mmCIF file with all atom_site columns, all heavy atoms in Angstrom:
data_model
loop_
_atom_site.group_PDB
_atom_site.id
_atom_site.type_symbol
_atom_site.label_atom_id
_atom_site.label_alt_id
_atom_site.label_comp_id
_atom_site.label_asym_id
_atom_site.label_entity_id
_atom_site.label_seq_id
_atom_site.pdbx_PDB_ins_code
_atom_site.Cartn_x
_atom_site.Cartn_y
_atom_site.Cartn_z
_atom_site.occupancy
_atom_site.B_iso_or_equiv
_atom_site.pdbx_formal_charge
_atom_site.auth_seq_id
_atom_site.auth_comp_id
_atom_site.auth_asym_id
_atom_site.auth_atom_id
_atom_site.pdbx_PDB_model_num
ATOM 1  N N   . GLY A 1 125 ? 12.789 2.464  21.993 1.00 69.00 ? 125 GLY A N   1
ATOM 2  C CA  . GLY A 1 125 ? 13.973 3.102  21.751 1.00 69.00 ? 125 GLY A CA  1
ATOM 3  C C   . GLY A 1 125 ? 14.877 2.520  20.662 1.00 69.00 ? 125 GLY A C   1
ATOM 4  O O   . GLY A 1 125 ? 14.300 1.689  19.863 1.00 69.00 ? 125 GLY A O   1
ATOM 5  N N   . SER A 1 126 ? 16.153 2.846  20.545 1.00 60.00 ? 126 SER A N   1
ATOM 6  C CA  . SER A 1 126 ? 16.987 2.241  19.547 1.00 60.00 ? 126 SER A CA  1
ATOM 7  C C   . SER A 1 126 ? 18.354 2.089  20.054 1.00 60.00 ? 126 SER A C   1
ATOM 8  O O   . SER A 1 126 ? 18.740 2.724  21.054 1.00 60.00 ? 126 SER A O   1
ATOM 9  C CB  . SER A 1 126 ? 16.993 3.202  18.330 1.00 60.00 ? 126 SER A CB  1
ATOM 10 O OG  . SER A 1 126 ? 17.529 4.460  18.658 1.00 60.00 ? 126 SER A OG  1
ATOM 11 N N   . GLY A 1 127 ? 19.160 1.232  19.353 1.00 54.00 ? 127 GLY A N   1
ATOM 12 C CA  . GLY A 1 127 ? 20.506 1.094  19.707 1.00 54.00 ? 127 GLY A CA  1
ATOM 13 C C   . GLY A 1 127 ? 20.655 0.500  21.148 1.00 54.00 ? 127 GLY A C   1
ATOM 14 O O   . GLY A 1 127 ? 19.851 -0.322 21.614 1.00 54.00 ? 127 GLY A O   1
ATOM 15 N N   . THR A 1 128 ? 21.659 0.957  21.776 1.00 47.00 ? 128 THR A N   1
ATOM 16 C CA  . THR A 1 128 ? 22.020 0.543  23.176 1.00 47.00 ? 128 THR A CA  1
ATOM 17 C C   . THR A 1 128 ? 20.971 1.153  24.141 1.00 47.00 ? 128 THR A C   1
ATOM 18 O O   . THR A 1 128 ? 20.896 0.704  25.350 1.00 47.00 ? 128 THR A O   1
ATOM 19 C CB  . THR A 1 128 ? 23.345 1.060  23.619 1.00 47.00 ? 128 THR A CB  1
ATOM 20 O OG1 . THR A 1 128 ? 23.460 2.398  23.525 1.00 47.00 ? 128 THR A OG1 1
ATOM 21 C CG2 . THR A 1 128 ? 24.425 0.429  22.706 1.00 47.00 ? 128 THR A CG2 1
ATOM 22 N N   . THR A 1 129 ? 20.127 2.087  23.796 1.00 51.00 ? 129 THR A N   1
ATOM 23 C CA  . THR A 1 129 ? 19.182 2.771  24.682 1.00 51.00 ? 129 THR A CA  1
ATOM 24 C C   . THR A 1 129 ? 17.808 1.907  24.607 1.00 51.00 ? 129 THR A C   1
ATOM 25 O O   . THR A 1 129 ? 16.892 2.259  25.282 1.00 51.00 ? 129 THR A O   1
ATOM 26 C CB  . THR A 1 129 ? 18.928 4.185  24.306 1.00 51.00 ? 129 THR A CB  1
ATOM 27 O OG1 . THR A 1 129 ? 18.429 4.256  23.000 1.00 51.00 ? 129 THR A OG1 1
ATOM 28 C CG2 . THR A 1 129 ? 20.191 4.976  24.379 1.00 51.00 ? 129 THR A CG2 1
ATOM 29 N N   . GLY A 1 130 ? 17.712 0.904  23.773 1.00 55.00 ? 130 GLY A N   1
ATOM 30 C CA  . GLY A 1 130 ? 16.483 0.096  23.624 1.00 55.00 ? 130 GLY A CA  1
ATOM 31 C C   . GLY A 1 130 ? 16.181 -0.582 24.985 1.00 55.00 ? 130 GLY A C   1
ATOM 32 O O   . GLY A 1 130 ? 16.976 -1.033 25.653 1.00 55.00 ? 130 GLY A O   1
ATOM 33 N N   . SER A 1 131 ? 14.882 -0.674 25.234 1.00 66.00 ? 131 SER A N   1
ATOM 34 C CA  . SER A 1 131 ? 14.366 -1.254 26.453 1.00 66.00 ? 131 SER A CA  1
ATOM 35 C C   . SER A 1 131 ? 13.311 -2.294 26.117 1.00 66.00 ? 131 SER A C   1
ATOM 36 O O   . SER A 1 131 ? 12.673 -2.221 25.093 1.00 66.00 ? 131 SER A O   1
ATOM 37 C CB  . SER A 1 131 ? 13.888 -0.217 27.504 1.00 66.00 ? 131 SER A CB  1
ATOM 38 O OG  . SER A 1 131 ? 12.889 0.455  26.908 1.00 66.00 ? 131 SER A OG  1
ATOM 39 N N   . HIS A 1 132 ? 13.037 -3.219 27.057 1.00 73.00 ? 132 HIS A N   1
ATOM 40 C CA  . HIS A 1 132 ? 12.095 -4.287 26.883 1.00 73.00 ? 132 HIS A CA  1
ATOM 41 C C   . HIS A 1 132 ? 10.669 -3.686 26.911 1.00 73.00 ? 132 HIS A C   1
ATOM 42 O O   . HIS A 1 132 ? 10.421 -2.805 27.599 1.00 73.00 ? 132 HIS A O   1
ATOM 43 C CB  . HIS A 1 132 ? 12.246 -5.319 28.054 1.00 73.00 ? 132 HIS A CB  1
ATOM 44 C CG  . HIS A 1 132 ? 11.195 -6.409 27.912 1.00 73.00 ? 132 HIS A CG  1
ATOM 45 N ND1 . HIS A 1 132 ? 11.309 -7.368 26.944 1.00 73.00 ? 132 HIS A ND1 1
ATOM 46 C CD2 . HIS A 1 132 ? 10.058 -6.569 28.766 1.00 73.00 ? 132 HIS A CD2 1
ATOM 47 C CE1 . HIS A 1 132 ? 10.184 -8.137 27.216 1.00 73.00 ? 132 HIS A CE1 1
ATOM 48 N NE2 . HIS A 1 132 ? 9.471  -7.764 28.244 1.00 73.00 ? 132 HIS A NE2 1
ATOM 49 N N   . VAL A 1 133 ? 9.831  -4.260 26.018 1.00 81.00 ? 133 VAL A N   1
ATOM 50 C CA  . VAL A 1 133 ? 8.541  -3.747 25.861 1.00 81.00 ? 133 VAL A CA  1
ATOM 51 C C   . VAL A 1 133 ? 7.600  -5.025 26.519 1.00 81.00 ? 133 VAL A C   1
ATOM 52 O O   . VAL A 1 133 ? 7.678  -6.207 26.068 1.00 81.00 ? 133 VAL A O   1
ATOM 53 C CB  . VAL A 1 133 ? 8.042  -3.541 24.392 1.00 81.00 ? 133 VAL A CB  1
ATOM 54 C CG1 . VAL A 1 133 ? 6.581  -3.145 24.421 1.00 81.00 ? 133 VAL A CG1 1
ATOM 55 C CG2 . VAL A 1 133 ? 8.868  -2.398 23.891 1.00 81.00 ? 133 VAL A CG2 1
ATOM 56 N N   . GLY A 1 134 ? 6.822  -4.719 27.486 1.00 81.00 ? 134 GLY A N   1
ATOM 57 C CA  . GLY A 1 134 ? 5.940  -5.600 28.144 1.00 81.00 ? 134 GLY A CA  1
ATOM 58 C C   . GLY A 1 134 ? 4.875  -6.182 27.254 1.00 81.00 ? 134 GLY A C   1
ATOM 59 O O   . GLY A 1 134 ? 4.631  -7.403 27.117 1.00 81.00 ? 134 GLY A O   1
ATOM 60 N N   . ALA A 1 135 ? 4.080  -5.275 26.610 1.00 90.00 ? 135 ALA A N   1
ATOM 61 C CA  . ALA A 1 135 ? 2.981  -5.674 25.759 1.00 90.00 ? 135 ALA A CA  1
ATOM 62 C C   . ALA A 1 135 ? 2.844  -4.739 24.590 1.00 90.00 ? 135 ALA A C   1
ATOM 63 O O   . ALA A 1 135 ? 3.220  -3.574 24.711 1.00 90.00 ? 135 ALA A O   1
ATOM 64 C CB  . ALA A 1 135 ? 1.667  -5.711 26.528 1.00 90.00 ? 135 ALA A CB  1
ATOM 65 N N   . VAL A 1 136 ? 2.414  -5.213 23.513 1.00 93.00 ? 136 VAL A N   1
ATOM 66 C CA  . VAL A 1 136 ? 2.238  -4.426 22.314 1.00 93.00 ? 136 VAL A CA  1
ATOM 67 C C   . VAL A 1 136 ? 0.876  -4.436 21.724 1.00 93.00 ? 136 VAL A C   1
ATOM 68 O O   . VAL A 1 136 ? 0.357  -5.523 21.542 1.00 93.00 ? 136 VAL A O   1
ATOM 69 C CB  . VAL A 1 136 ? 3.290  -4.915 21.154 1.00 93.00 ? 136 VAL A CB  1
ATOM 70 C CG1 . VAL A 1 136 ? 3.122  -4.102 19.848 1.00 93.00 ? 136 VAL A CG1 1
ATOM 71 C CG2 . VAL A 1 136 ? 4.696  -4.837 21.653 1.00 93.00 ? 136 VAL A CG2 1
#
Side-chain angles (χ1 to χ4, degrees):
S126 60
T128 58
T129 62
S131 60
H132 176 73
V133 177
V136 178

